[in-house]
Amino acid sequence: MLDGFTTHFIDLMKTVGLNFEFLTSGYEVRMWLDGMVTTLVLVVITIPISLIFGVLFAAALTSGKKWLAVPVRAYVELTRNTPTLVQLMCGFLVLNMLISNALGGAQNNPLTPFFWVVAITGLHVAAFHAEALRGGIEAVPSTTIEAARAIGFNSLQILRYVELPLAVRSALPSIINNLVNLVKLTTVGSAIAVGEITYASIMIWTQRDNVVELMLVILLFFSLINLVVARIGFWLEKRLAVPGFGQ
Amino acid sequence: MSIVLKQERAKQLPFGGIFAAVLGLTVIAWLFLNQSLGQVLLEWLPYLAKGFTMNVLISILAIAIGTLIGIVLGVMELAPFAVVRAPALVYVQIFRNAPHLVLIFAATYIFPFELVIFGNYVPFPDWVKAVVGLAIPASAHIAEITRGAIQSIPTAQWDAAQGLGFSRSQSLRWIILPQCIKRSLPPWMNLYASITMGTALASLVGVHELLHSANDASTAVQRTDFTVVVYLTVLIAFFLFCYPVSRFTQYLERRLASR
């Protein structure tokens, strides 16, 4: 039944000049589907990591403590103004090499290319989240903070119960935008042989020369993921909207 | 929202600059203490610099082409006819959501390595394909910037201009466009910075730009400390190029917001 569908699809695509012959090769199809799954796993793991670190960075930036704010500010500026691929290379080639040397050989190094993609892209986007959240935290009226302090909240509680809930609401559009970028950024993983969809597609099209076909699928795939991310964001925005707050 | 942004801008201190200076000085101090390393890096610097000029060249061409196409698309998005509007909307939707890397790969593999123009074979090198690959997302983003800028001008201004005796083209030239340019300059510069950072992706399709040069250098020299320094150099080079652009963008935003 599925085979029949596949041959039918291949024939149909052939009539419009697209070559999807690779769908008959079990090995390539498996690699291709694995690629899609890997991209989805990357996205699902990296989004929460970026959000957690985004909140931590924003908290550090607005803490008023120099020893916290200055290093984080430096990191944010560095990561916002350098290419993610260069950061990935610095992580995967340089830091990874140093770690391997320190542990006495690459075989002792537990860090995989997958780890580096998650870490670098997650922390990169976290810097953008932090900037968005910081704007929101700083926009909380000082009278609100004073009121919270007056009823006995300490600064962590103020952050958790007063500043963050308000900041998240005003920063949500930028955060969603950053997440869409994050989804696109996961493709840099192909540079260090993480088998996500781009990497799998490169493997297939170097054999079969069907770049246009696979490219169409990749573009559709990313459009779909980003559509879902944007929809969820839109839903959250509606859901979290406080009457009378914000625009 | 505007209050949020104003406070955000007011708090921007040049930490990034300080950080770059600290990082740069650390590298210089290290090279001074380890002179053989400094010598090797000095030998490779011209090669790396040549790589970086390629990054700058690709980014300038990509943003130039992207701007021209993007403005046309942005105006098309506002056209009163659905036939004109629809293709522009679809183009922008697809290519704004597409990863830069994928578009660079697409451009590299889909276009032939030479073109036949009036019977002459014109080479179509990889770096030009990278320009195309980056110009596509740039044009999609610029279309949105253009559309936003035009829409942000109240239509009443057209009527007011007419009331003052301006013709339609005069009011476009003297009243609407100057405001559009002012409003779209900061996002345009943000985009330029992001395209510049995207040029590093061209190394993956074999364009000899900075990251590729660093890779060559590190494989040729085969020294752990040199590998560390050469990649740090790449990081600092991009930072020194993009950070002033982003600072200037923030300055422009601040100035425009206070009007």
Side-chain angles (χ1 to χ4, degrees), chain A residues 15 20 28-29 83 92 96 122 133-134 137 154 162-163 168 195:
Chain A
T15 57
F20 276 96
E28 285 175 359
V29 169
F92 180 65
N96 201 45
L133 285 171
R134 187 183 57 93
I137 290 175
N154 63 30
V162 181
E163 290 176 325
V168 164

Side-chain angles (χ1 to χ4, degrees), chain A residues 3 10 24 36 71 105 124 165 179 187 196 201 222 238 247:
Chain A
D3 281 347
I10 293 170
T24 52
M36 289 191 188
H124 178 76
L179 291 181
T187 51
E196 44 78 74
S201 300
F222 278 103
K238 282 249 148 126
Q247 5 349 50

